[in-house]
Amino acid sequence: MATIHDVAKKAGVSVTTVSRVLNNRGYISEKTRNNVFRTMEELNYQPNELARSLLRKQSNLIGLIIPNVSHPFFSELASYVEYYAYQQNSKVLLCNSHMDPVKEKEYIEMLKRNRVDGIIMGSHTLEVDEYRNLNSPIVTIDRQIDENIPFISSDNYRGGQLATELLIQKGCRKIAHICGNLKLNMLANQRTQAFEELTGRHNIEHVTIQTDMNVFDQKQYEHIIHTLLQEHPDVDGIFSTSDIIAAFAIKECVRAGKRIPEDVRIIGYDDVNAANWIVPEITTVKQPIEEIGRLAIELIRKQLEDESFERQNILPVKLIERATT
Amino acid sequence: MATIHDVAKKAGVSVTTVSRVLNNRGYISEKTRNNVFRTMEELNYQPNELARSLLRKQSNLIGLIIPNVSHPFFSELASYVEYYAYQQNSKVLLCNSHMDPVKEKEYIEMLKRNRVDGIIMGSHTLEVDEYRNLNSPIVTIDRQIDENIPFISSDNYRGGQLATELLIQKGCRKIAHICGNLKLNMLANQRTQAFEELTGRHNIEHVTIQTDMNVFDQKQYEHIIHTLLQEHPDVDGIFSTSDIIAAFAIKECVRAGKRIPEDVRIIGYDDVNAANWIVPEITTVKQPIEEIGRLAIELIRKQLEDESFERQNILPVKLIERATT
DNA sequence: ATTTATATGTCAATCGTTTGACATGTCAAA
DNA sequence: TTTGACATGTCAAACGATTGACATATAAAT
């Protein structure tokens, strides 16, 4: 690959001059500028960003750690994160932690070795301390680690409320709730909290089932819902904390000969694209995925540029009524 | 951040010694080694990969250019690519081209500036020449650019054959085929070729409809299928070249009051996870997505290490019969 | 006593780029 | 004629690591 020296030599100017046109500094005549640019094209020159980053102490890399991109929610998030990163000339390093603490730690160290400008954590399995002395800009999605580490989440409590209220209002008498692992200290647990408070207050029979949601084990989903329907055949409402699990709920209900929404009403969460192409279309609580992605990039940038920023970013959710309720 | 000099000073040894323990070269006593490692931990030292990459002329970065990670096929592919990259200590730079030639070109240049070890192209909109003088290891997915650029695809012709044969064998009399934009020179077009040859040979009425499949415009899918069913109400078989479009086909058929598979038989392509959680479960032609991802990484590595490798990698497909046929 | 393996250090170059300091020269305006 | 804006060059240091060449020292083996 051509270096700046090759360009300088071929263009018959000094390296400093080439650098000057590259970075638009100091005085450069139109003639020289064009000459240099032409030479760059001829040599197919691309400045070495590794060298630049080394000097500038800025890599323009952003690490994105998520459980798995193959999960629709995270794939959509990743897509938006990449989109907004690109807008500000940053690149995204993709890391699938598979919710494995060892991998997560290795990824964090890898990202530090690569001197990323910031880390977006959509996965969180480590001890709080591990994140504290990271001394790299960071933002977490749906996990509140510490007073100082900014997080983005949607209004989980409100979401749980909207979903539960809808089912109650539609007349459900026994509602099942499928959520992630409550031991993980995730803000999404507030959905469950809202669910239990509301069903309790309205005195509605309810059952809560935990899954390892984020590892995205489809066999497990199937099994859990199958068991649920067997053990509680009188369930007439299901509030699932992800659209994908809601899809499996639909599948199992159909298999069990139950009609949706007549016999069982189902509501999901997230409003991923898939919620829309499934029949019946899934009623769900929409998370503003694009805004989450956009804001994540913005928060990294603000930390980098020492602008002030909110520690707590709770975005609004919205009930999307479709065919399963 | 601590540098190797900080470690050396604090540990009371020379920089060379630290480098030696870091890279396991030359003689190092157990005592010094431990001392150095301890110091690294204390300082939270992580070697600067930018500096290393600069010197070694190897960044351990791999660029992945795809239309959009939010498309299930590409999200699964990305997941596997990242998985296998990680196994060999490479990191993945995620790039969503949105099938925009300008973006694609900018991404390629960006990746070159970052001195990636290789590029995996799942998107391809540029002129052939642009790829030729890339002088970076590259591998394309489902696109044959040139004799010298290795590609990976599954056996598209065979896949088209399997799908069409199944529909014919099930007794379909008028089959619709929905494919991507045939103007793009993609290997997936062979599916269409197989479809047209087989329906022709069996003298079966058929209609082929193109979409901008890769841009993943769901409104467009919906509209196309809606129109199809209106213009050809007697269609009793649909072969869609992606599972997602098949899902929309299901949706529109249900909406039109058609039973699946009794009135219309539908077969998709890819066998993405979603094919499995939709009701009715989608019959499909399975592409070995994991193997494609694995092989892509392997081909980059082989080019890098000057091992020999196949230019043409055509992987087997498999018919997965489920509920829609 | 000599050799040799082990252990560590010093020094300098290198990767590709940026940048500040400084020198030199041209040309036009005051 | 002097001043100052414009244009370009030379030089060296810096970013953080690696590495080869070479020196030196200790301890164990012959």
Side-chain angles (χ1 to χ4, degrees):
Chain A
M1 278 236 85
T3 72
I4 198 172
H5 291 94
D6 302 327
V7 175
K9 185 179 289 180
K10 176 140 200 233
V13 297
S14 72
V15 168
T16 305
T17 299
V18 178
S19 178
R20 282 204 262 253
V21 344
L22 215 43
N23 297 285
N24 240 321
R25 316 184 73 83
Y27 296 117
I28 290 288
S29 70
E30 230 12 67
K31 187 162 148 279
T32 316
R33 186 190 307 277
N34 290 333
N35 176 21
V36 169
F37 275 133
R38 197 173 346 98
T39 312
M40 286 179 177
E41 293 234 328
E42 282 166 26
L43 291 179
N44 220 321
Y45 170 76
Q46 299 286 349
N48 187 330
E49 285 294 333
L50 297 168
R52 288 177 145 191
S53 299
L54 182 59
L55 192 65
R56 298 202 175 128
K57 296 163 170 308
Q58 255 225 30
S59 62
N60 288 318
L61 289 174
I62 289 179
L64 174 65
I65 305 185
I66 53 184
N68 196 336
V69 238
S70 76
H71 187 293
F73 176 77
F74 290 109
S75 81
E76 292 177 31
L77 179 66
S79 176
Y80 289 119
V81 164
E82 195 278 329
Y83 178 82
Y84 286 103
Y86 183 76
Q87 302 296 308
Q88 54 163 54
N89 195 28
S90 293
K91 306 119 218 172
V92 173
L93 275 174
L94 180 64
C95 309
N96 297 307
S97 74
H98 296 276
M99 293 302 268
D100 174 349
V102 176
K103 264 201 143 184
E104 194 182 310
K105 181 151 194 197
E106 283 178 11
Y107 272 123
I108 289 178
E109 286 173 354
M110 181 273 274
L111 294 175
K112 288 176 78 171
R113 284 198 299 277
N114 283 276
R115 298 299 189 266
V116 294
D117 291 349
I119 299 181
I120 299 173
M121 291 281 322
S123 169
H124 159 37
T125 58
L126 299 182
E127 295 300 314
V128 176
D129 275 351
E130 309 263 18
Y131 302 97
R132 283 220 189 88
N133 49 23
L134 216 56
N135 75 330
S136 154
I138 185 174
V139 42
T140 66
I141 310 280
D142 245 340
R143 288 141 177 96
Q144 182 168 23
I145 293 181
D146 169 284
E147 293 301 307
N148 284 314
I149 298 179
F151 72 86
I152 304 173
S153 81
S154 53
D155 191 340
N156 284 288
Y157 190 87
R158 179 79 188 124
Q161 221 175 17
L162 285 170
T164 313
E165 267 169 6
L166 181 70
L167 293 179
I168 293 176
Q169 176 222 313
K170 293 281 183 177
C172 294
R173 301 302 309 148
K174 178 167 182 180
I175 306 181
H177 171 57
I178 304 167
C179 58
N181 186 340
L182 296 173
K183 277 198 216 90
L184 295 174
N185 178 29
M186 307 219 326
L187 293 167
N189 295 352
Q190 293 172 5
R191 304 173 194 169
T192 302
Q193 208 183 313
F195 169 77
E196 296 193 332
E197 277 176 32
L198 255 106
T199 45
R201 196 183 313 150
H202 286 79
N203 209 15
I204 286 182
E205 207 181 336
H206 62 279
V207 38
T208 297
I209 298 169
Q210 295 181 42
T211 66
D212 287 332
M213 195 166 68
N214 287 308
V215 290
F216 197 34
D217 174 352
Q218 310 192 28
K219 284 268 166 277
Q220 189 203 20
Y221 296 168
E222 230 161 304
H223 176 252
I224 279 177
I225 293 168
H226 189 77
T227 319
L228 166 69
L229 293 183
Q230 284 210 310
E231 290 177 0
H232 303 278
D234 52 337
V235 155
D236 59 359
I238 299 179
F239 167 27
S240 147
T241 222
S242 102
D243 290 329
I244 309 308
I245 298 183
F248 279 98
I250 293 173
K251 189 171 156 183
E252 288 299 322
C253 283
V254 169
R255 188 177 290 174
K258 296 176 190 277
R259 292 166 307 162
I260 302 167
E262 294 81 354
D263 301 331
V264 183
R265 292 171 204 278
I266 298 177
I267 182 165
Y269 210 100
D270 291 346
D271 194 29
V272 293
N273 290 327
N276 219 345
W277 22 272
I278 282 172
V279 259
E281 294 169 17
I282 302 179
T283 293
T284 192
V285 176
K286 180 190 181 70
Q287 291 208 66
I289 306 184
E290 173 165 5
E291 177 60 12
I292 294 175
R294 193 196 64 70
L295 191 54
I297 294 293
E298 182 179 311
L299 286 174
I300 296 289
R301 185 185 57 72
K302 283 190 169 172
Q303 289 178 64
L304 221 57
E305 296 177 359
D306 258 327
E307 286 182 32
S308 69
F309 58 92
E310 283 295 322
R311 261 42 175 191
Q312 312 210 348
N313 301 273
I314 300 175
L315 306 174
V317 293
K318 202 170 141 194
L319 183 68
I320 309 281
E321 265 199 86
R322 287 199 272 248
T324 56
T325 50
Chain B
M1 278 233 87
T3 73
I4 199 172
H5 290 94
D6 302 326
V7 175
K9 186 179 286 180
K10 177 139 198 236
V13 298
S14 72
V15 168
T16 306
T17 300
V18 178
S19 177
R20 283 204 262 254
V21 344
L22 215 44
N23 297 285
N24 242 321
R25 316 184 73 84
Y27 296 117
I28 290 288
S29 70
E30 228 16 65
K31 188 162 148 278
T32 315
R33 187 191 307 277
N34 291 334
N35 175 20
V36 169
F37 275 133
R38 197 175 345 99
T39 314
M40 285 179 178
E41 293 234 327
E42 282 167 24
L43 291 179
N44 222 320
Y45 170 75
Q46 300 286 351
N48 186 330
E49 285 294 333
L50 297 169
R52 289 176 146 194
S53 299
L54 183 58
L55 190 65
R56 298 203 176 129
K57 296 167 172 306
Q58 254 226 30
S59 63
N60 288 317
L61 289 174
I62 289 179
L64 174 65
I65 306 185
I66 52 183
N68 197 336
V69 237
S70 76
H71 186 294
F73 176 78
F74 290 109
S75 83
E76 291 176 31
L77 179 66
S79 177
Y80 288 119
V81 163
E82 194 279 329
Y83 178 81
Y84 286 102
Y86 182 76
Q87 301 296 307
Q88 54 164 53
N89 195 28
S90 294
K91 306 117 219 172
V92 172
L93 276 175
L94 180 64
C95 310
N96 296 307
S97 73
H98 296 277
M99 294 300 270
D100 174 349
V102 176
K103 264 201 143 185
E104 195 183 309
K105 181 149 195 199
E106 283 177 12
Y107 271 124
I108 289 178
E109 285 173 354
M110 181 273 274
L111 293 174
K112 289 176 80 171
R113 283 197 300 276
N114 283 275
R115 298 299 188 265
V116 293
D117 291 349
I119 300 181
I120 299 173
M121 291 281 323
S123 170
H124 160 38
T125 58
L126 300 183
E127 295 300 314
V128 176
D129 274 351
E130 309 263 17
Y131 301 97
R132 283 221 189 89
N133 49 23
L134 215 57
N135 76 330
S136 154
I138 184 173
V139 41
T140 65
I141 310 278
D142 245 340
R143 288 141 176 95
Q144 184 169 19
I145 293 181
D146 169 285
E147 293 301 308
N148 284 313
I149 299 178
F151 72 85
I152 304 173
S153 80
S154 52
D155 192 341
N156 284 288
Y157 191 86
R158 180 80 188 123
Q161 223 176 15
L162 285 171
T164 313
E165 268 169 6
L166 182 71
L167 292 180
I168 292 175
Q169 177 221 314
K170 293 279 183 176
C172 294
R173 300 303 309 151
K174 176 165 184 181
I175 308 181
H177 171 58
I178 304 167
C179 59
N181 186 340
L182 296 174
K183 278 201 217 86
L184 295 175
N185 177 29
M186 308 219 326
L187 293 167
N189 295 352
Q190 294 171 6
R191 303 173 195 169
T192 302
Q193 208 183 313
F195 170 78
E196 295 192 332
E197 276 176 33
L198 255 108
T199 45
R201 196 182 314 149
H202 287 78
N203 208 13
I204 286 182
E205 207 180 337
H206 60 279
V207 38
T208 297
I209 299 169
Q210 295 181 42
T211 66
D212 286 332
M213 196 168 67
N214 287 307
V215 291
F216 196 33
D217 174 352
Q218 311 191 29
K219 284 268 167 278
Q220 189 204 18
Y221 297 168
E222 230 162 306
H223 176 254
I224 279 177
I225 293 167
H226 189 76
T227 318
L228 166 69
L229 293 183
Q230 284 208 312
E231 290 178 359
H232 304 276
D234 52 337
V235 155
D236 59 0
I238 300 179
F239 166 28
S240 146
T241 222
S242 105
D243 289 331
I244 308 309
I245 298 183
F248 279 100
I250 293 174
K251 190 171 156 184
E252 288 299 323
C253 283
V254 169
R255 187 177 291 174
K258 295 175 190 280
R259 290 166 308 161
I260 301 167
E262 294 82 356
D263 301 331
V264 182
R265 292 172 203 279
I266 298 177
I267 183 165
Y269 210 100
D270 292 345
D271 194 29
V272 294
N273 289 327
N276 218 344
W277 24 270
I278 282 173
V279 259
E281 294 170 18
I282 301 179
T283 293
T284 192
V285 176
K286 181 189 180 71
Q287 291 208 69
I289 306 185
E290 173 164 4
E291 177 60 11
I292 294 175
R294 193 196 64 70
L295 191 54
I297 294 294
E298 182 180 312
L299 287 174
I300 296 290
R301 186 186 56 71
K302 284 190 169 171
Q303 290 179 64
L304 220 56
E305 297 177 358
D306 258 325
E307 287 182 32
S308 69
F309 58 93
E310 283 295 323
R311 258 52 173 184
Q312 311 210 347
N313 301 273
I314 299 176
L315 306 175
V317 294
K318 201 169 141 193
L319 183 68
I320 309 281
E321 264 199 85
R322 288 197 271 247
T324 55
T325 49

